[in-house]
Amino acid sequence: MDVILHVGAHRTGTTTLQQTLHHNHQRLKAHKVEYWAPQMIRAGLFDGLIKAADRVSPQVVAQARTANQRIARDLHRLDAAGTRTLIVSEENMLGSIPASVTTERLYPDAARRVARLRPAFARHCTRIGLAIRSYDQLWTSMISFTVKRSGRVPDGDQLAGLVAQPRRWRDIIRELRVVFPRAEIQVWPFEGMVDAPHDVIARMTGRDLALPLEPVEGVHNPAPDIHALRAAVEAGPCAGHLARLAEWNSGRWMPFTEPQRTKMRADYAEDIAWLRSNPGPAISYIESPEDIVGPTEEERGVRHDEGQRRVG
């Protein structure tokens, strides 16, 4: 049995993909494909495995050992039942949004987090799926969620720190490669693939066949708009931060300046160029025929707008 770890990332269409997997669970099962959803994982299956590095105590280590044993038994049971492929989808395997924003680093402890999954999955894991996104849109979406949760709006220095932070998608990919050296790392861009969860599922499972999957409709975990952010700040401990939202009256918030966005887009373009250059036999890049970083939001048009509303 092959295990595919879909590790996210956050704000790259993960919820849309997960909803598609959930909605088509029985259809996938008919093709001997099983799916472990975040709800199942967070209900106790991964107890002790998904923790920040500074929260790993002896108790957490014991929980992780028990979880790895429990997962190994479940994998054996699925294998014995004839399951050919298991998709495990949980974006918190890489880390959390608050940790990335607070430390001003992209998933700072991703390697250590993913390494805790190795005892359970190393034998079966043949593929790891990772969606990536342009840094200006990624950090804006992440910050929006932390503002909604805490009511605190980052200041100019914090925003500049996120622009200058050194970790790139390439670092995450290399770390995944080190932890699971026998697994293929499949990477796809949010910008080109958010509207194609069926294609992503087919490629992740290694089957370019027309699975009879039904589409899912509606908005899936969109970033809060400016009205929701204002309400969160007003109700929180830092009402004075409202001034940092003053110039925005409607729509989606964009905290970064145009020069900052240009820099972040250039960083992302370098990642895409690296992926296109065939960086290794175990790293594959699934690219949409659409241009990834060239068009502006206005040029992408309605389809891109719809994708932005389904970013979870």
Side-chain angles (χ1 to χ4, degrees):
M1 180 181 70
D2 294 331
V3 172
I4 300 166
L5 298 180
H6 172 231
V7 298
H10 294 92
R11 316 311 304 152
T12 61
T14 54
T15 305
T16 298
L17 183 62
Q18 289 162 354
Q19 290 289 336
T20 303
L21 288 164
H22 175 74
H23 185 66
N24 290 278
H25 187 197
Q26 292 304 317
R27 291 176 176 82
L28 290 165
K29 195 170 184 176
H31 289 268
K32 301 186 184 302
V33 177
E34 278 287 352
Y35 167 52
W36 286 359
Q39 294 87 341
M40 174 183 177
I41 291 167
R42 297 170 194 175
L45 183 63
F46 277 24
D47 277 356
L49 294 178
I50 303 179
K51 291 285 186 182
D54 60 358
R55 296 174 60 192
V56 177
S57 64
Q59 180 182 3
V60 169
V61 171
Q63 287 178 333
R65 187 180 302 111
T66 300
N68 277 314
Q69 293 169 350
R70 182 169 56 246
I71 291 169
R73 288 195 298 268
D74 288 345
L75 294 179
H76 178 75
R77 175 180 54 80
L78 288 173
D79 196 12
T83 300
R84 292 175 57 188
T85 304
L86 169 65
I87 301 174
V88 182
S89 182
E90 167 57 273
E91 58 269 38
N92 289 321
M93 284 189 268
L94 288 179
S96 69
I97 290 177
S100 290
V101 173
T102 301
T103 62
E104 298 173 7
R105 292 292 185 273
L106 181 66
Y107 297 121
D109 59 347
R112 285 176 289 183
R113 280 176 173 263
V114 177
R116 289 200 285 274
L117 301 169
R118 183 166 50 193
F121 291 109
R123 179 184 169 197
H124 293 281
C125 182
T126 58
R127 189 168 293 123
I128 296 174
L130 172 70
I132 62 176
R133 188 177 185 183
S134 183
Y135 298 109
D136 60 326
Q137 296 292 338
L138 177 80
W139 285 116
T140 296
S141 192
M142 284 188 170
I143 293 168
S144 295
F145 269 86
T146 61
V147 171
K148 186 178 180 182
R149 174 182 293 183
S150 68
R152 300 175 183 273
V153 184
D155 61 22
D157 289 341
Q158 291 169 307
L159 293 173
L162 291 173
V163 174
Q165 72 89 30
R167 283 177 62 76
R168 301 283 177 265
W169 291 120
R170 283 166 285 174
D171 299 309
I172 305 297
I173 293 165
R174 291 183 182 118
E175 288 167 1
L176 291 171
R177 186 79 183 91
V178 169
V179 175
F180 287 96
R182 296 193 298 173
E184 175 193 7
I185 313 296
Q186 281 190 342
V187 185
W188 60 90
F190 163 86
E191 295 80 2
M193 300 297 289
V194 66
D195 290 317
H198 302 79
D199 292 338
V200 171
I201 292 168
R203 292 294 298 272
M204 277 203 305
T205 58
R207 304 182 194 183
D208 290 324
L209 51 87
L211 289 174
L213 302 184
E214 291 186 357
V216 294
E217 303 295 337
V219 177
H220 306 294
N221 200 23
D225 63 15
I226 190 64
H227 300 296
L229 296 180
R230 286 182 181 279
V233 175
E234 288 175 344
C238 302
H241 287 191
L242 274 174
R244 298 174 185 173
L245 302 174
E247 64 181 285
W248 294 90
N249 297 314
S250 63
R252 297 178 68 247
W253 179 48
M254 171 47 68
F256 298 105
T257 66
E258 192 55 40
Q260 288 175 327
R261 296 184 71 185
T262 298
K263 194 269 183 189
M264 288 188 282
R265 288 168 176 165
D267 291 339
Y268 186 54
E270 290 180 0
D271 286 336
I272 298 299
W274 178 74
L275 285 163
R276 286 172 174 162
S277 70
N278 298 316
I283 300 171
S284 61
Y285 181 50
I286 306 168
E287 186 169 5
S288 164
E290 297 178 1
D291 193 1
I292 293 174
V293 295
T296 64
E297 291 182 3
E298 291 77 16
E299 289 169 338
R300 289 189 186 113
V302 174
R303 183 181 180 195
H304 181 263
D305 292 341
E306 287 297 319
Q308 291 289 356
R309 288 197 287 270
R310 293 197 300 276
V311 296

